[in-house]
Amino acid sequence: SGSGTKGEAPPPQYSKVALIIGIAGQVGSYLSEFLLDKGYEVYGMSVRSSNFNTQRVDHIYINPRNYAHNARMKLRCSILTDSSLCLRRWIDAISPDEVYNLADQYEVAVSLETPEYPDIVATVAFRLLEAVRSHVSVTGRSHIRYFQSGSSEVFGPQSDKSGYLRMNEKSQFHPWSLYGVSKCAAHWYTVYYREAHGLFACNGILFNPESPRQDWNFVTRKITRAVGRIKMGLQSKLFLGNLLASRDWGFAGDYVEAMWMMLQQGKPDDYVVGMGESHTVDEIMMTAFEYVGLEWRDYVVYDNEIPLRPAGVDQLRGDATKAKEVLGWKAKVGFEKLVEMMVDEDIELAKREKVL
Ligand code: GDP
């Protein structure tokens, strides 16, 4: 027989096939690493840009053999406004076991000036769900599972009248931003397809996912990047807006595990994912400066040009009791560790910047 021919590797055995929409984003990059480590074959779609914007996944893409099982990953670029036909064709071609929709469009400053900016978030969810449904109805592959990435922005100060600020799956949606409105629609599209069409579709309502791969214009990364550059003598000031703003910040790498766990359950459901505690911008800033042994008062400047957010969401925290009890999920990285990981990464980046 021809089996075992010298030099011929056996074909790789993938446990499952996953499609990640928004693979090159912060959360998408952690999710692809997580799934590749589990032996998945990972396909990803990332938004098209004239600049290369795949830095967060290049290390996997360029050398997939860094991962177990000769992991295979394929990238495609698209635009969020693409018609469902294109998504549908791709889903038909790949026939994934799991689809993760992380497509997002969120920048508060932009959406203040361009109100329609986040509208597409809901439309993409709708189109993807419809593409999955029609794939199932044509092929009969009903085991396909869908994850919708939701946001704490669906909640607002009116979400819980009892004054209990920890939001769970039963807390009322009452968004205070257009982005939050769009995320609510994406959430309800997902519930609709689950209830009306029997799709295995889950919503993960995520409180601020952060990491050393966060975008520079989010306040966490803005701070740690500045601290890294200040430490290396590349920058002398850090301009910040509302220091008392507070959020429930958690590590994006922990959150992707919860997302995956949702799709491994016997039945689809919705889960809040958060740390259950909130910290101010002030605390991030002080933790970061203290970690590198610098006095923040020498560098931080208040900038009243930085747009303030609607006040109410500041106090909200994510109550992940259900995720803990049903999924067995547990975060590994706490607040201080998260800030320190981000500062470490930004010191390394600043060192490289300095050499250039
Ligand atoms: P968000 O939770 O998605 O709005 O995440 P951001 O990281 O953009 O902002 C978190 C909070 O930090 C908001 O309440 C901002 O008002 C506050 N904040 C204070 N200074 C800054 C700043 O310099 N940049 C940003 N992006 N936010 C800031």
Side-chain angles (χ1 to χ4, degrees):
S1 82
S3 70
T5 311
K6 209 176 162 207
E8 206 179 280
Q13 295 292 311
Y14 302 111
S15 57
K16 279 180 185 167
V17 177
L19 170 61
I20 304 175
I21 310 295
I23 196 168
Q26 175 192 219
V27 176
S29 69
Y30 283 106
L31 181 62
S32 32
E33 287 172 340
F34 179 87
L35 295 176
L36 287 169
D37 278 337
K38 290 220 171 292
Y40 277 59
E41 183 174 16
V42 174
Y43 290 81
M45 198 177 258
S46 127
V47 78
R48 168 112 188 91
S49 148
S50 355
N51 285 324
F52 292 110
N53 61 353
T54 55
Q55 298 88 333
R56 292 187 185 92
V57 287
D58 280 346
H59 62 291
I60 313 171
Y61 192 48
I62 289 166
N63 191 3
R65 290 199 168 77
N66 287 337
Y67 286 82
H69 316 289
N70 283 341
R72 195 153 58 124
M73 178 160 142
K74 286 202 176 143
L75 274 182
R76 280 252 183 122
C77 280
S78 181
I79 49 168
L80 285 183
T81 45
D82 199 359
S83 78
S84 53
L85 276 180
C86 203
L87 290 170
R88 170 71 207 277
R89 267 202 302 275
W90 215 31
I91 287 173
D92 285 346
I94 303 166
S95 203
D97 298 284
E98 296 172 9
V99 175
Y100 293 86
N101 179 20
L102 314 178
D104 222 335
Q105 190 110 294
Y106 180 53
E107 256 175 80
V108 169
V110 180
S111 63
L112 289 176
E113 284 169 21
T114 319
E116 289 176 21
Y117 182 70
D119 177 58
I120 192 72
V121 168
T123 310
V124 169
F126 180 27
R127 287 176 176 169
L128 260 173
L129 284 156
E130 181 52 26
V132 170
R133 184 203 63 77
S134 92
H135 175 77
V136 170
S137 79
V138 171
T139 63
R141 297 190 76 253
S142 58
H143 59 273
I144 183 168
R145 296 179 170 204
Y146 177 89
F147 172 81
Q148 173 63 38
S149 179
S151 160
S152 53
E153 289 277 324
V154 296
F155 302 120
Q158 305 299 320
S159 291
D160 197 320
K161 306 255 185 332
S162 68
Y164 183 67
L165 297 168
R166 283 171 160 232
M167 300 290 120
N168 63 27
E169 297 76 11
K170 295 199 170 71
S171 306
Q172 201 193 325
F173 289 179
H174 193 141
W176 269 36
S177 64
L178 288 168
Y179 172 78
V181 173
S182 197
K183 280 291 194 187
C184 283
H187 178 101
W188 288 114
Y189 279 131
T190 307
V191 173
Y192 174 83
Y193 274 85
R194 180 167 77 215
E195 292 177 348
H197 295 294
L199 273 195
F200 194 110
C202 301
N203 284 293
I205 305 169
L206 311 187
F207 281 69
N208 292 47
E210 309 287 337
S211 76
R213 298 181 195 167
Q214 176 62 294
D215 278 324
W216 287 344
N217 47 358
F218 284 91
V219 76
T220 45
R221 189 75 200 282
K222 180 177 170 181
I223 292 171
T224 61
R225 178 164 186 254
V227 167
R229 297 184 86 245
I230 289 170
K231 184 70 183 170
M232 297 313 297
L234 293 166
Q235 184 172 331
S236 58
K237 292 288 173 228
L238 164 59
F239 294 90
L240 287 174
N242 180 12
L243 290 180
L244 297 179
S246 115
R247 292 281 187 280
D248 180 342
W249 333 84
F251 176 47
D254 280 338
Y255 289 5
V256 301
E257 186 176 18
M259 291 158 47
W260 173 78
M261 285 170 153
M262 289 175 210
L263 298 197
Q264 314 312 311
Q265 300 307 302
K267 68 179 186 58
D269 208 341
D270 305 323
Y271 299 86
V272 163
V273 185
M275 302 297 285
E277 52 181 73
S278 56
H279 296 272
T280 56
V281 170
D282 225 16
E283 279 177 84
I284 301 173
M285 186 267 286
M286 289 193 225
T287 307
F289 275 101
E290 201 170 293
Y291 182 56
V292 298
L294 292 175
E295 172 54 60
W296 68 268
R297 288 180 189 81
D298 296 339
Y299 306 98
V300 175
V301 181
Y302 175 66
D303 182 350
N304 60 8
E305 299 273 306
I306 294 171
L308 291 175
R309 309 288 196 273
V313 298
D314 275 7
Q315 295 307 317
L316 304 184
R317 273 156 262 160
D319 176 357
T321 306
K322 182 174 167 186
K324 285 178 190 152
E325 286 176 358
V326 178
L327 306 176
W329 175 75
K330 195 171 181 298
K332 296 181 187 78
V333 177
F335 174 72
E336 255 179 54
K337 172 85 182 135
L338 174 62
V339 175
E340 291 172 6
M341 277 165 57
M342 294 175 71
V343 174
D344 284 340
E345 167 75 10
D346 281 320
I347 286 180
E348 289 310 309
L349 276 183
K351 280 185 188 158
R352 267 177 264 154
E353 203 182 329
K354 200 165 181 175
V355 172
L356 295 173

